[in-house]
Amino acid sequence: MSIQFIDLKAQYQHLKADIDARIHAVLDHGQYIMGPEVAELEAALASYVGVKHAVGVSDGTTALQIAMMALGIVPGDEVITSPFTFIATGEMIALLGAKPVFVDIDPTSYNLDPALVEAAITPRTRAIMPVSLYGQCADFAAINAIAEKHGLAVIEDGAQSFGASQRGRRSGSLSTIGCTSFFPSKPLGCYGDGGACFTDDDALAKKMREIRVHGQDRRYHHPVIGLNGRLDTLQAAVLLAKLPSFPDEVEARARIGARYSRLLQDVARVPVVGEGNTHVYAQYTIEVANREAVQASLKEAGVPTAVHYPIPLHLQPAFAGLGQGAGSFPVAEAAAARVMSLPMHPFLDEASQDAIVAAVRQALA
């Protein structure tokens, strides 16, 4: 049995006619940059997320940068975020000359611990950037309350959580600005890089649209400094082809994730879905002791695995200047040493999942 970590080929075969038709429509009209599919996709995404504005951008990393630029974050400002995430989260803060201020994570959800946020706020704090890790939203009710009290913006790094919800509201609609990624392996992925920013704020939406096209509000007129952050028309076309079946895929992910948890809860620490949350399992992540040995055993059995993320941001050489060594964020460090992700995608059948579970149980025996 050949087990794929993420099976994009199966998804393509399922949606081939629609994807091909959408791509060929772009090839026929030839508007490869900011073609009509981009605006069509933005309207569809805004409707799905439940916000007034969706701004398609080149990738999830640039989405974070555009969001912070729209909020006016400048050198010397501070942005509170998680150390247990992909480098892009902290990287974009630093790239703007601001300081990433790390706060440890909740051990159950792996997301920013709201109980620790307020103590990290200083007169220089401008925003809080929670990460909705692995496909489950951070605790936005608690975080937004703290932000409101201190007059701060909240940016959701929802690169892994598109399609997830919290108390009936979808990821992307839970904060001042929501950002996501359409990298191919994400819950909703294109066939290259892509991303989006979401907001209900008209002024912020206008600013983000300008920033993504070099700060331009009309041709060759630039009120603000921007960047090249456009979403390609071809990628928008792929996403439009995938979007109608996305709710079914979200449902499949929830079902497969819940089944994994039922079958593995007695041998490993499995994901916990918070009250009021749904989970899209961008990664299905368990915690194990002796991770390297377990991964080696699974590899021998033909089961691919991955680790997201083995080195927290505060221990990355790029952030050594912050002076936060080992022991600074013990919960994040403990998780980084133990987490391991199993194959997860909407087309994972029960026979394959049973084989994966058997291999995991054998490795942990």
Side-chain angles (χ1 to χ4, degrees):
M1 182 179 293
S2 175
I3 295 173
Q4 303 294 316
F5 190 74
I6 296 169
D7 197 343
L8 296 178
K9 289 182 180 179
Q11 185 194 48
Y12 173 62
Q13 291 304 319
H14 183 66
L15 300 172
K16 186 178 189 303
D18 292 336
I19 291 171
D20 289 356
R22 280 287 189 174
I23 288 173
H24 280 102
V26 177
L27 297 176
D28 286 339
H29 67 56
Q31 298 176 58
Y32 300 117
I33 303 295
M34 299 301 287
E37 285 81 1
V38 175
E40 183 184 352
L41 176 67
E42 288 175 337
L45 291 174
S47 176
Y48 178 82
V49 170
V51 292
K52 287 172 68 177
H53 305 282
V55 181
V57 299
S58 56
D59 56 84
T61 303
T62 302
L64 298 175
Q65 183 179 3
I66 289 172
M68 286 187 283
M69 289 173 71
L71 290 166
I73 289 169
V74 295
D77 290 342
E78 294 178 355
V79 178
I80 293 170
T81 193
S82 167
F84 191 54
T85 179
F86 183 57
I87 187 95
T89 315
E91 180 182 47
M92 287 301 100
I93 298 168
L95 193 69
L96 291 174
K99 178 185 177 183
V101 175
F102 298 125
V103 165
D104 213 348
I105 58 171
D106 172 80
T108 302
S109 70
Y110 305 112
N111 289 327
L112 200 64
D113 188 341
L116 303 176
V117 168
E118 198 155 19
I121 295 171
T122 76
R124 290 187 169 184
T125 307
R126 291 293 308 279
I128 306 169
M129 189 186 291
V131 180
S132 295
L133 199 71
Y134 297 151
Q136 179 171 209
C137 296
D139 186 349
F140 281 93
I143 292 165
N144 287 339
I146 295 166
E148 187 173 354
K149 177 180 172 184
H150 293 273
L152 305 173
V154 179
I155 304 167
E156 180 187 12
D157 181 345
Q160 299 177 11
S161 59
F162 189 78
S165 63
Q166 186 166 88
R167 297 177 180 88
R169 296 175 60 194
R170 287 199 167 113
S171 176
S173 72
L174 298 164
S175 58
T176 315
I177 301 173
C179 299
T180 199
S181 167
F182 300 126
F183 186 79
S185 62
K186 302 300 184 186
L188 179 65
C190 54
Y191 289 160
D193 277 312
C197 299
F198 305 98
T199 189
D200 281 322
D201 186 303
D202 296 342
L204 284 176
K206 180 177 184 292
K207 203 164 210 179
M208 290 191 292
R209 291 185 192 283
E210 292 172 357
I211 290 168
R212 72 168 170 185
V213 287
H214 302 283
Q216 179 174 275
D217 64 351
R218 58 186 185 273
R219 192 165 174 80
Y220 297 130
H221 186 261
H222 306 266
V224 297
I225 294 295
L227 46 80
N228 180 3
R230 302 171 301 216
L231 176 65
D232 287 347
T233 310
L234 278 166
Q235 302 304 341
V238 170
L239 292 166
L240 281 166
K242 289 187 174 191
L243 198 54
S245 63
F246 183 62
D248 291 338
E249 293 193 6
V250 168
E251 193 175 305
R253 285 177 173 276
R255 184 182 70 250
I256 293 163
R259 188 170 189 266
Y260 260 140
S261 293
R262 283 197 309 273
L263 297 172
L264 290 172
Q265 60 187 347
D266 62 323
V267 294
R269 183 173 172 182
V270 299
V272 176
V273 182
E275 185 181 354
N277 284 356
T278 66
H279 203 312
V280 291
Y281 298 103
Q283 282 83 38
Y284 183 85
T285 303
I286 61 175
E287 280 193 38
V288 295
N290 304 317
R291 181 174 64 200
E292 286 187 10
V294 174
Q295 285 190 286
S297 175
L298 290 171
K299 185 177 181 181
E300 184 80 13
V303 176
T305 59
V307 176
H308 310 88
Y309 299 92
I311 304 174
L313 296 194
H314 66 288
L315 299 180
Q316 294 288 352
F319 289 116
L322 295 176
Q324 295 168 320
S328 297
F329 304 102
V331 183
E333 291 167 34
R338 294 172 55 88
V339 294
M340 181 184 76
S341 298
L342 301 176
M344 181 69 194
H345 56 84
F347 299 91
L348 185 65
D349 59 62
E350 289 194 358
S352 298
Q353 191 176 23
D354 288 342
I356 295 162
V357 167
V360 172
R361 297 184 72 90
Q362 176 65 32
L364 293 172

